[in-house]
Amino acid sequence: MRLNGYSQLPVLSGPRNLRGAVTWESIARARYANPEAPFSDAIVAAHAVSYADHLIDVLPDLERFGFLLVKDQTNQIAGIITVADVAAEYGATARPFLLIGDLDRQLRRVISESLALAEVIELCDPDGRRKLSAFDQLSYGDYQQVLGNPEQWDKLGWPLDRKSFTARLDELREIRNELMHFNDKDKAGDSAIPMLRNVIELLREHSG
């Protein structure tokens, strides 16, 4: 267990007959009760689920046991899932959403701190149909409209090319849309993270 970084191991009598599991915690308890405890004293109850089960349905058992053994299509124990695994997977899934949210906040901050609300509303809601009255009502499309305007862009005083920056914003708009509609996982997932981070850092750097 130590050599391979395992925190739990299944105890089997044959590939399909689950007898329980041993964990670092169960070993510690057994040895605390009896320094000469045999291996069998460290065996604790374990729960197995199928590859076909939905993760959301097994979360109560995962919370109860701390880990679950996974059976493959032939009913053999083929893997293990832990609370840490689920946390890591949800964290990876959530990361692009968190960055999109941060990008939105940074764009709104740049515009609200540097530009006049009346001029922004004139660009984004010239006929008043949307009844814009505050910066926090702006959409991502509004950010593009405002920062793509040469007059407003010049007020920022950034040493950046406006057309290149707004082209990148448009790329991020497509990523944002894909992400929100769960369409192209790769385009809106890990491959988009460096691009999102770069623009967020750029906004922080040039807007103080």
Side-chain angles (χ1 to χ4, degrees):
M1 291 172 71
R2 182 70 177 274
L3 181 63
N4 293 287
Y6 297 145
S7 299
Q8 306 90 7
L9 284 176
V11 179
L12 307 168
S13 56
R16 296 180 178 85
N17 188 9
L18 177 64
R19 300 293 300 274
V22 291
T23 70
W24 284 119
E25 182 180 2
S26 71
I27 292 171
R29 286 180 177 177
R31 293 296 297 271
Y32 178 78
N34 176 13
E36 303 299 326
F39 176 78
S40 59
D41 285 359
I43 298 175
V44 295
H47 188 72
V49 296
S50 168
Y51 271 169
D53 290 335
H54 293 290
L55 178 59
I56 192 69
D57 295 329
V58 303
L59 286 178
D61 287 328
L62 181 60
E63 181 180 8
R64 176 185 173 191
F65 291 97
F67 66 96
L68 297 172
L69 300 167
V70 183
K71 294 181 178 180
D72 65 14
Q73 296 87 340
T74 66
N75 212 36
Q76 294 189 46
I77 299 297
I80 188 169
I81 182 172
T82 67
V83 172
D85 294 329
V86 174
E89 179 61 28
Y90 275 116
T93 302
R95 192 173 299 118
F97 287 92
L98 296 175
L99 289 172
I100 285 290
D102 194 12
L103 175 64
D104 185 87
R105 287 189 295 274
Q106 294 299 329
L107 288 169
R108 184 185 302 117
R109 182 178 64 84
V110 165
I111 292 173
S112 64
E113 292 180 357
S114 306
L115 305 176
L117 178 60
E119 294 179 1
V120 169
I121 292 175
E122 180 62 28
L123 282 172
C124 301
D125 189 23
D127 55 11
R129 295 175 65 179
R130 294 172 57 196
K131 301 186 184 304
L132 291 182
S133 60
F135 286 111
D136 60 10
Q137 294 175 305
L138 298 179
S139 67
Y140 192 90
D142 293 329
Y143 305 148
Q144 290 182 276
Q145 177 77 8
V146 172
L147 297 178
N149 179 272
E151 182 180 348
Q152 300 301 319
W153 175 265
D154 288 344
K155 292 179 181 179
L156 298 177
W158 289 355
L160 302 171
D161 181 73
R162 175 179 58 84
K163 291 184 178 179
S164 296
F165 183 83
T166 52
R168 177 52 51 88
L169 286 186
D170 200 52
E171 290 181 75
L172 294 178
R173 176 189 60 79
E174 292 183 5
I175 290 171
R176 183 179 186 275
N177 290 343
E178 296 291 338
L179 181 65
M180 295 307 177
H181 291 91
F182 299 96
N183 289 335
D184 189 334
K185 183 178 179 181
D186 180 66
K187 182 177 181 180
D190 290 345
S191 63
I193 288 175
M195 187 185 300
L196 286 163
R197 283 178 170 163
N198 286 342
V199 173
I200 289 170
E201 288 303 315
L202 185 150
L203 289 169
R204 288 172 175 165
E205 177 184 349
H206 290 290
S207 61

